Amino acid sequence: MNTHLLSSFEQLEKQREEFSQWVAQAPEAAQHLKPAADQWSAAQLLYHLSRVDQQVVLGLEKRLASGKPLRPRRLGTQIRSFLLNLFLSLPIKFKAPAAVSEVPEQVIIPEVIQHWKQTREKLQAILSGFPDQHLNKEVFFHPRSGMITLPQTLRFMIEHIEHHRRQMRRLLS
C-alpha cells in the first residue's frame, strides 16, 4: 500500500477504534440517550459513521469495477475537496446526504462495531490494490462536492469523523 494511503488508513483506524470504544464502554443509558427527539444518540451516531464508510467503500468498488477510464484531478477537484473539508472543520451542523441520514431507532452496538470493522477491511483491500499511477485520478463521487481522488476521499473520511468528535463527547459526557 502507498505510504500516504497507509498513513491515512491508520489514522482512520485509530478514529474507528476510539469511537467504537467510547460507545461500547459507556453506560447503556448514555449509549441510547437522545438529547432531543430530532437528534441522534451516541449509538445512532456510531451507526451513521459506519454507514458513511460503507457508502464510500461501495462507491469506490462500483467506480473501480466499472472499467471506465478515470479522469485526472483538476483544479476544480482540488477546490471542491478543500471546501468540503473546510466546512467539515467548522463547528456547524449540516444535513447529512440522504444515503446516510437515516438511522434506526434501535441500534445494536456490537453489530455496528463489527460491521464497521468489516467495512474497513474492505477499504484496506481497495487501498492495498490501488495503483500509484491513479492517485491523482478522480475515483469517488461525494454527493456534496462531486468527484474526488482517493487521497481526497480518505481526507474527507478523516475530517467527517473529526466533525462528529465534539458531538460524540457531548453525548457521552
Side-chain angles (χ1 to χ4, degrees):
M1 181 184 311
N2 172 282
T3 55
H4 178 70
L5 298 180
L6 178 61
S7 174
S8 294
F9 182 77
E10 287 172 346
Q11 189 174 355
L12 281 166
E13 276 297 274
K14 183 179 175 193
Q15 289 173 316
R16 181 188 61 79
E17 290 168 0
E18 185 178 29
F19 276 67
S20 296
Q21 189 174 45
W22 283 348
V23 177
Q25 292 180 352
E28 189 171 345
Q31 293 173 337
H32 300 284
L33 179 66
K34 293 171 69 170
D38 64 338
Q39 294 180 356
W40 292 336
S41 68
Q44 289 171 316
L45 177 55
L46 194 71
Y47 176 91
H48 166 75
L49 294 173
S50 172
R51 184 82 172 121
V52 168
D53 274 26
Q54 180 187 30
Q55 289 300 307
V56 168
V57 167
L58 288 172
L60 288 170
E61 287 174 338
K62 183 179 176 183
R63 181 69 174 103
L64 294 171
S66 75
K68 294 179 184 175
L70 302 176
R71 248 184 1 200
R73 178 185 69 198
R74 296 165 295 158
L75 179 60
T77 312
Q78 292 175 264
I79 292 169
R80 288 189 313 270
S81 176
F82 172 78
L83 290 173
L84 174 65
N85 293 325
L86 174 66
F87 286 121
L88 284 172
S89 71
L90 299 173
I92 54 179
K93 191 174 178 178
F94 298 99
K95 183 164 175 51
V100 295
S101 65
E102 296 297 320
V103 297
E105 219 28 67
Q106 294 298 318
V107 174
I108 302 169
I109 294 166
E111 287 180 11
V112 172
I113 290 171
Q114 181 61 30
H115 187 262
W116 200 5
K117 185 176 186 292
Q118 291 169 342
T119 300
R120 284 289 175 83
E121 289 168 357
K122 289 179 183 178
L123 178 62
Q124 185 177 26
I126 291 169
L127 301 179
S128 294
F130 198 80
D132 284 355
Q133 67 267 25
H134 290 164
L135 289 174
N136 288 323
K137 307 267 184 166
E138 298 174 350
V139 295
F140 177 71
F141 179 80
H142 186 279
R144 300 273 194 259
S145 64
M147 293 300 292
I148 55 179
T149 67
L150 187 57
Q152 290 169 334
T153 302
L154 297 177
R155 175 55 40 202
F156 151 71
M157 294 171 74
I158 291 166
E159 294 300 329
H160 174 253
I161 293 172
E162 287 305 311
H163 175 76
H164 286 290
R165 183 176 293 277
R166 282 187 300 278
Q167 179 184 10
M168 185 64 84
R169 283 189 176 147
R170 189 177 68 252
L171 289 167
L172 294 175
S173 62

